[in-house]
Amino acid sequence: MNMFKIPEKIYFGENALDALKEVQGKKAIIVTGGSSMKRFGFIEQTQRLLSESGIQSIVFEGVEPNPSVQTVIKGADMMTKFNPDWVIAIGGGSALDAAKIMWCFYEHPELTFDQIVPVGSMPALRNKAKFIAIPSTSGTASEITAFSVITDHETHMKYPIVSPHIVPDVAIIDPALPAKMPAYITANTGMDVMTHALEAFVSIAANDYSDPLAMRAVKLVFNNIENAFNQGSDMLARENMHNASTLAGMAFSNVSLGLAHSLAHKIGGEFGITHGLANAILLPHIVKYNKQFTDKYQEIEQYMGFDCLEDELRKLNAKLGIPLTLKAVTEVEIKEEEYMKVLDRMSQHAFEDPCTLTNPGTPSVEDIKEIYSNAYFQETLMPEATYLHAV
């Protein structure tokens, strides 16, 4: 028996933020990241709309790009002191991911982080509060999913936390928020959406409910990301990308992801590279590899009119200013000597990542190591995806 879980309510389109007027409660804590949501007036607007419903609110700000265990504990402590009946996360995926786990520790202060890492280990929530997610980027789809990614900076490990209990109660998909994103964030988060959609489509858990959502998301990204990147004020492109993110999120939240995310999680933990950027560079290599084990990419190619999906992904990356290799990344420096030093460890950890379980085929640690190497050094894809170690 299968289950398909999404938020109880999804508000989308122009002025969707006005849905906050309908919230019933007494106190809300607003969790956000850096200064952009405050600078553009969205925090003030959120608090004003809540006050119209008679809800008192406070703000926890400063969630970092790769939210840490320490930040999560700090936020949970603030929640405990304030005792809200609503947790409202507004901002990028990091803010939403952090707020979910803050919420868990607010409801269950006796838990440790290690206790919620195993898939399905989190106890039931909503004993103290419910959750509203308002994304500012069209990327992570945390507003719709059972996923959160938290980083332990002491071990350099990113941990995907998976639990149906952290699917938000309400998602608000307002295109006014991502319209403020700079071009490079539009590119990175948009290719994260593409990765979500493609990995959900070929997941071994994919089904008749997830496939149409994933396919539509792929088409929306291919047809709109360039306009959103080049013309940030194109509100139709922004709305389509925001909807694509949510559609892909509905799919992967229910059928999980694959090897691109496993590898991106680990290289992000080691070097701090933006998650969407890592996914974008890795994705063509993963598609090439996975074609040994599934024919489903052919459905995407037929749907989109493509001869070779991985080639189209690389062409799209180039149009978005995304480098062909991890070695060429400039947002962080990934030195060859340091990369090779942690390659074995990253490969083992990626093999053990929960997302690997639903990837087509059964990759070995050696396969993963080879993909990591190719993605770092190779400006062209291998002529044949021949990985002799695959099980």
Side-chain angles (χ1 to χ4, degrees):
M1 182 173 66
N2 298 317
M3 180 183 72
F4 198 85
K5 184 175 177 61
I6 60 175
E8 179 182 346
K9 294 180 180 179
I10 303 171
Y11 298 91
F12 60 97
E14 188 178 358
N15 297 320
L17 205 59
D18 286 347
L20 291 170
K21 295 178 182 178
E22 302 178 14
V23 176
Q24 300 296 312
K26 296 180 180 179
K27 292 182 177 182
I29 184 168
I30 300 166
V31 179
T32 192
S35 60
S36 63
M37 291 296 94
K38 179 184 288 186
R39 186 168 69 252
F40 294 127
F42 293 119
I43 299 299
E44 180 183 356
Q45 184 180 359
T46 297
Q47 292 193 284
R48 176 175 53 78
L49 291 168
L50 290 171
S51 69
E52 291 181 21
S53 298
I55 296 176
Q56 178 188 357
S57 62
I58 61 171
V59 179
F60 179 96
E61 56 187 334
V63 175
E64 64 271 54
N66 292 304
S68 65
V69 177
Q70 292 76 16
T71 295
V72 164
I73 298 302
K74 185 177 177 182
D77 289 343
M78 187 172 180
M79 290 179 185
T80 298
K81 293 173 183 176
F82 186 62
N83 196 32
D85 47 10
W86 283 99
V87 176
I88 301 176
I90 179 169
S94 296
L96 275 57
D97 281 6
K100 287 179 175 180
I101 309 306
M102 292 175 187
W103 177 34
C104 171
F105 289 133
Y106 165 53
E107 299 240 353
H108 299 282
E110 76 283 359
L111 292 176
T112 65
F113 183 73
D114 289 343
Q115 288 177 299
I116 65 169
V117 170
V119 174
S121 61
M122 187 182 295
L125 304 180
R126 295 168 179 82
N127 302 300
K128 298 179 181 179
K130 291 186 177 182
F131 194 96
I132 297 173
I134 309 170
S136 65
T137 61
S138 306
T140 68
S142 188
E143 74 277 0
I144 214 86
T145 71
F147 285 70
S148 171
V149 180
I150 304 298
T151 300
D152 186 334
H153 291 306
E154 293 183 1
T155 62
H156 301 287
M157 285 282 288
K158 276 191 174 185
Y159 293 94
I161 310 298
V162 185
S163 169
H165 299 306
I166 58 174
V167 174
D169 298 280
V170 179
I172 298 177
I173 318 300
D174 193 320
L177 279 73
K180 303 297 185 181
M181 283 193 299
Y184 77 95
I185 294 180
T186 298
N188 293 343
T189 56
M191 290 309 294
D192 197 16
V193 176
M194 182 75 82
T195 309
H196 291 158
L198 287 173
E199 293 211 300
F201 190 71
V202 301
S203 164
I204 62 170
N207 55 57
D208 288 340
Y209 290 80
S210 62
D211 277 359
L213 297 169
M215 288 188 78
R216 179 62 178 170
V218 168
K219 187 168 188 175
L220 285 171
V221 175
F222 267 117
N223 290 351
N224 291 277
I225 191 170
E226 287 182 69
N227 280 353
F229 175 75
N230 291 314
Q231 305 171 41
S233 60
D234 183 337
M235 291 307 295
L236 178 58
R238 289 295 191 185
E239 184 170 356
N240 285 336
M241 285 299 300
H242 223 28
N243 288 340
S245 178
T246 300
L247 293 172
M250 291 182 193
F252 88 75
S253 182
N254 286 279
V255 302
S256 195
L257 293 160
L259 209 50
H261 272 79
S262 299
L263 272 68
H265 289 154
K266 306 319 168 190
I267 194 171
E270 292 286 352
F271 295 101
I273 182 175
T274 300
H275 177 68
L277 176 60
N279 269 330
I281 297 170
L282 289 162
L283 185 59
H285 295 274
I286 302 301
V287 171
K288 188 81 172 179
Y289 172 80
N290 281 344
K291 278 187 171 181
Q292 299 176 104
F293 310 109
T294 178
D295 296 328
K296 290 194 74 175
Y297 292 115
Q298 294 177 10
E299 294 183 46
I300 296 290
E301 289 168 342
Q302 184 177 11
Y303 179 56
M304 295 300 303
F306 295 156
D307 292 326
C308 179
L309 177 58
E310 57 268 39
D311 286 347
E312 295 297 330
L313 290 169
R314 286 167 69 84
K315 291 176 187 176
L316 184 57
N317 280 345
K319 292 175 182 177
L320 301 174
I322 292 172
L324 292 173
T325 65
L326 292 166
K327 188 175 184 178
V329 167
T330 57
E331 70 164 21
V332 294
E333 186 177 15
I334 306 178
K335 294 181 179 179
E336 182 177 338
E337 181 181 356
E338 294 177 5
Y339 190 80
M340 300 309 293
K341 186 183 298 183
V342 300
L343 181 57
D344 286 342
R345 181 173 71 202
M346 283 199 306
S347 300
Q348 181 65 43
H349 288 163
F351 176 78
E352 296 168 353
D353 190 280
C355 294
T356 303
L357 296 172
T358 43
N359 188 75
T362 307
S364 67
V365 175
E366 288 301 313
D367 289 340
I368 292 171
K369 184 177 178 179
E370 191 167 354
I371 294 169
Y372 265 138
S373 296
N374 292 338
Y376 186 82
F377 292 108
Q378 300 294 331
E379 293 190 355
T380 58
L381 295 176
M382 294 175 60
E384 297 291 338
T386 304
Y387 293 79
L388 300 178
H389 310 286
V391 177

